[in-house]
Amino acid sequence: MAAAYGPPSHPPTEVQPHTEPVPAFIPTPGGTGKPWGAVAEFANGTDLLAAAKKALAAGYKHLDAWTPFYVHGMKEAIGRTRSRLPLFTLAGGLTGLTAAAALQFYLMTYYYPTIVGGKEYRAWEAFVPVFFEMTILFSGFFTLFSLIGLCGLPKFFHPLDSHPTFNRGTQAGFFLTIEALDASFSPDATRAFLESLGGKHVAVVEA
Amino acid sequence: MSTANITDGAGGPPPLTYPAGLPDRVAPVGDALASGIRTLVAVLLGTGALLVIGLFTDAKQFYHSYLFGYVFALDIALGALFWTLIHHVADAGWSVGLRRVFENINRAIIPLTALFVPVLVGTFTGNLHAWYEFVHTVPQKGHGEHLWHVKHLYFNTPFFATRIVIYFAVWIGYSVVMRNWSTKQDAVGGVALTRKMQWWAPSGVALLGLTTTFFAFDVLMSLQYSWFSTIFGVYFWAGGIRGSLATVVLVVLGLRAAGFLRNTITMEHLHDVAKIMFGFTVFWTYIAFAQYFLIWYGNVPEETQFYLLRRNGAWNTMSILLPILYFVVPFFMLLPRAHKRSPVWLALISSWILVMHAYDLYWQVMPVLHQDTIHFHWLDAAAPVFMFSVVLLSAIWGFTRLPLIPIRDARLNETIGYENETP
């Protein structure tokens, strides 16, 4: 048998059953009464990846996958395209550079022209460290805060926290969710669809 | 069960067994690149003949052009040696497939050792380094020039020759030893040789750093022997490391275009090489500006002389264009993710960086000869082309005789299945 070169495959595993059956509709404390979306648990990353691909092919768009570690190919499988984060970083960098240039040239050339070390007023060489630092600083801040914003943080409660097995998502659980925002979402049909993909502990969570 | 037994043509090394299931043919390329090699040999002979003609028509110009072309190629070969060593220091898994490319490029160090002789001749006939002339005109005990009196402990013929011997001994030693262990591992496999290379690599990085720094001081900085810049060695290194990455990308793209390694060294690997190239683009700028900035701020005569010389005539234009063409342009060319994953863009960027690397070195060497303004000589084109052909031929020579990747490296699986994070 030829040696397999490439990413390792996951060993077959099974979803551990929950102590009591998971209800079809899980209410959320103080919920709105409307569904947030449907959840299904899978045995491992490979199964979850296959299920996500099928759900995407079935026309669902508001998909999300919740795994304890990075699963290669999952981003494409749930239909995610590139993040907008680099654009924020670039915008931050350009803002910082422009701010540093404006500040220094205005101050050192017009507002309070000062001779430092025998150099001319517009000694751009002396400004470069500040250009550099401000570019980096603003890039960093824009990246951090836009990341927090794009992730919808801070968030103290999420409807999925009501799901009885979802807390395993940080250790050994692999979950696929389809949100109610999706045009093709309907509580019963979507739940049945997730069950047909081999999902366990399938439930609709109240928003 | 398909393990092919392929005997090496040279007869010396033991027969190699190729692991089954590799996604590509990794046996030596053999005659597949013969036409390319013939072209390169023709270029080498042609430019070599031009260099000989140059030597007899304009010796001083020849030695300066030769030095410029020489450091251009040596920089690249040393950069490749550095990448081999840093691969082992970092215990890297993703770059296992690229390691043979590094090893094959630093193969050029051996022919370049022989090609260093004309530089020595240039120095010892007083055609290149000003300090040599000075040693022989100023009386040893006089105080005609105080600076020289201080520096003559460093700048004198025996010490210079000793240092050169040490540099080349270190470079040849590490490149040959690392390559031999790597090719031995192709036959015997196992992790013992990987451990051995990893044990020796850190000392190699340290020694390579020191020797490259002092080589830059001795051969380039000492063209103006009265000039001081402690960061010059790093500047030289930063240029070489970029040039070698560009060469690695071009060699890999060439191999892929010829139909080799398409599934082994994928765009995922090239993407990462391009990321490092981007990083070193910024690093070079950081170093280049740090050197200029401190000299500009300090305004001390023995430091500013370097930049003052490069503010005459067309040199001034060249000095202003250097950061734009060698930093701003590659920076924005390398910034988009799509460019780092496109073979066409990568070929363009790498060629650009190589040409600008030559531009940078030309700007470092030539103002010493033509102080008033640029006098571009045909030797300035012939020398780097000749030297770069030496590097490419050395690399291809390796590919025609050795497996294209380290076939028995324990982490081959890691490099072949390697994927970048999708942002």
Side-chain angles (χ1 to χ4, degrees):
Chain A
M1 202 188 98
Y5 287 99
S9 55
H10 298 293
T13 48
E14 280 183 25
V15 180
Q16 296 302 312
H18 193 53
T19 45
E20 48 199 67
V22 175
F25 185 82
I26 300 167
T28 287
T32 59
K34 287 178 188 145
W36 173 86
V39 198
E41 185 172 356
F42 291 86
N44 52 47
T46 316
D47 287 3
L48 180 62
L49 195 64
K53 281 177 184 162
K54 281 180 197 154
L56 191 72
Y60 288 107
K61 291 195 173 55
H62 288 81
L63 292 171
D64 213 342
W66 312 74
T67 55
F69 49 77
Y70 184 77
V71 177
H72 277 283
M74 189 56 87
K75 255 170 201 157
E76 292 81 3
I78 56 173
R80 290 284 194 283
T81 49
R82 284 203 67 190
S83 159
R84 282 169 295 157
L85 196 60
L87 292 178
F88 286 99
T89 310
L90 182 65
L94 293 176
T95 310
L97 183 61
T98 318
L103 191 72
Q104 292 183 96
F105 278 108
Y106 172 68
L107 282 178
M108 299 302 289
T109 314
Y110 300 105
Y111 186 69
Y112 205 93
T114 314
I115 298 224
V116 181
K119 312 294 184 200
E120 56 183 332
Y121 295 133
R122 272 174 309 222
W124 64 268
E125 290 97 333
F127 301 164
V128 169
V130 181
F131 292 162
F132 177 74
E133 298 297 345
M134 290 271 278
T135 310
I136 302 295
L137 182 74
F138 274 67
S139 303
F141 275 148
F142 271 52
T143 310
L144 176 66
F145 290 118
S146 43
L147 179 68
I148 290 172
L150 289 172
C151 292
L153 295 173
K155 186 172 281 178
F156 300 110
F157 178 77
H158 192 278
L160 280 174
D161 293 343
S162 326
H163 191 279
T165 68
F166 191 75
N167 58 359
R168 306 192 323 141
T170 57
Q171 290 279 330
F174 297 83
F175 296 88
L176 183 69
T177 56
I178 300 175
E179 284 172 47
L181 291 168
D182 208 299
S184 349
F185 182 88
S186 102
D188 295 330
T190 304
R191 208 173 54 230
F193 174 71
L194 285 172
E195 261 162 7
S196 76
L197 294 179
K200 302 281 191 281
H201 303 150
V202 180
V204 170
V205 182
E206 185 187 359
Chain B
M1 281 303 247
S2 64
T3 44
N5 280 306
I6 295 170
T7 321
D8 195 289
L16 297 174
T17 343
Y18 288 78
L22 287 175
D24 279 305
R25 175 184 171 275
V26 295
V29 295
D31 292 335
L33 301 176
S35 65
I37 294 174
R38 273 198 299 276
T39 317
L40 273 176
V41 170
V43 170
L44 192 74
L45 291 177
T47 47
L50 285 178
L51 286 178
V52 174
I53 295 169
L55 172 62
F56 290 109
T57 50
D58 191 348
K60 220 160 167 81
Q61 176 68 47
F62 164 80
Y63 284 117
H64 282 81
S65 302
Y66 187 91
L67 178 68
F68 149 62
Y70 183 80
V71 287
F72 173 69
L74 188 75
D75 235 7
I76 290 168
L78 290 178
L81 178 56
F82 174 81
W83 288 118
T84 315
L85 294 172
I86 207 73
H87 164 90
H88 293 303
V89 171
D91 193 9
W94 70 274
S95 56
V96 168
L98 285 166
R99 202 176 77 211
R100 196 47 56 79
V101 182
F102 304 151
E103 285 164 359
N104 281 335
I105 293 175
N106 73 47
R107 195 176 279 281
I109 289 171
I110 291 170
L112 287 172
T113 306
L115 289 171
F116 191 70
V117 173
V119 178
L120 283 181
V121 172
T123 306
F124 294 146
T125 51
N127 278 309
L128 264 178
H129 296 101
W131 62 263
Y132 187 81
E133 213 173 314
F134 223 80
V135 167
H136 293 85
T137 49
V138 175
Q140 294 280 331
K141 293 205 177 359
H143 280 263
E145 183 159 350
H146 195 69
L147 188 61
W148 174 78
H149 201 77
V150 175
K151 282 200 170 185
H152 86 281
L153 284 173
Y154 190 80
F155 286 122
N156 57 70
T157 314
F159 192 28
F160 179 80
T162 316
R163 280 186 315 237
I164 296 294
V165 170
I166 292 172
Y167 304 151
F168 280 99
V170 169
W171 299 338
I172 292 176
Y174 273 94
S175 77
V176 168
V177 164
M178 286 292 162
R179 202 158 54 228
N180 283 354
W181 283 339
S182 176
T183 48
K184 196 177 162 198
Q185 196 183 35
D186 285 353
V188 300
V191 291
L193 281 166
T194 304
R195 295 257 160 80
K196 212 167 172 179
M197 288 188 273
Q198 284 176 354
W199 199 90
W200 281 98
S203 60
V205 171
L207 281 176
L208 186 59
L210 283 173
T211 48
T212 311
T213 302
F214 280 94
F215 179 84
F217 289 168
D218 285 347
V219 171
L220 283 180
M221 202 165 106
S222 68
L223 289 170
Q224 284 168 281
Y225 71 94
S226 49
W227 180 45
F228 291 80
S229 170
T230 44
I231 210 169
F232 189 78
V234 188
Y235 183 87
F236 176 75
W237 179 86
I241 212 81
R242 265 176 102 183
S244 73
L245 275 180
T247 313
V248 166
V249 171
L250 286 179
V251 167
V252 171
L253 286 175
L255 281 175
R256 279 167 61 91
F260 297 99
L261 298 179
R262 287 193 171 193
N263 304 308
T264 314
I265 303 179
T266 59
M267 288 322 289
E268 303 289 337
H269 299 89
L270 286 174
H271 182 185
D272 271 15
V273 176
K275 284 183 215 164
I276 305 174
M277 206 148 75
F278 179 79
F280 275 102
T281 297
V282 179
F283 179 79
W284 174 86
T285 316
Y286 198 96
I287 294 303
F289 183 75
Q291 177 175 292
Y292 174 68
F293 185 56
L294 293 189
I295 288 173
W296 172 82
Y297 231 128
N299 213 5
V300 182
E302 60 261 31
E303 290 178 351
T304 51
Q305 54 168 305
F306 178 84
Y307 288 102
L308 282 179
L309 193 54
R310 283 153 187 81
R311 279 198 158 188
N312 295 330
W315 293 122
N316 190 30
T317 317
M318 206 169 165
S319 306
I320 294 166
L321 284 177
L322 182 67
I324 297 170
L325 298 180
Y326 201 22
F327 167 60
V328 180
V329 173
F331 182 88
F332 284 103
M333 281 209 287
L334 273 168
L335 194 56
R337 185 173 190 268
H339 291 186
K340 289 183 229 151
R341 297 180 72 86
S342 139
V344 176
W345 268 106
L346 275 183
L348 181 70
I349 293 164
S350 306
S351 317
W352 179 267
I353 285 179
L354 273 182
V355 171
M356 291 317 299
H357 179 43
Y359 178 105
D360 182 23
L361 286 166
Y362 183 81
W363 175 83
Q364 287 176 46
V365 173
M366 284 301 164
V368 179
L369 182 64
H370 303 295
Q371 306 214 342
D372 46 349
T373 189
I374 297 176
H375 293 282
F376 191 81
H377 196 272
W378 48 267
L379 277 169
D380 298 335
V385 171
F386 174 81
M387 295 294 176
F388 194 63
S389 309
V390 172
V391 173
L392 281 185
L393 268 177
S394 311
I396 294 176
W397 191 88
F399 288 119
T400 57
R401 275 164 185 73
L402 293 173
L404 306 182
I405 56 170
I407 50 172
R408 291 281 170 203
D409 194 290
R411 278 165 310 167
L412 205 54
N413 187 43
E414 200 179 328
T415 186
I416 291 175
Y418 177 74
E419 271 181 33
N420 268 289
E421 164 81 43
T422 322

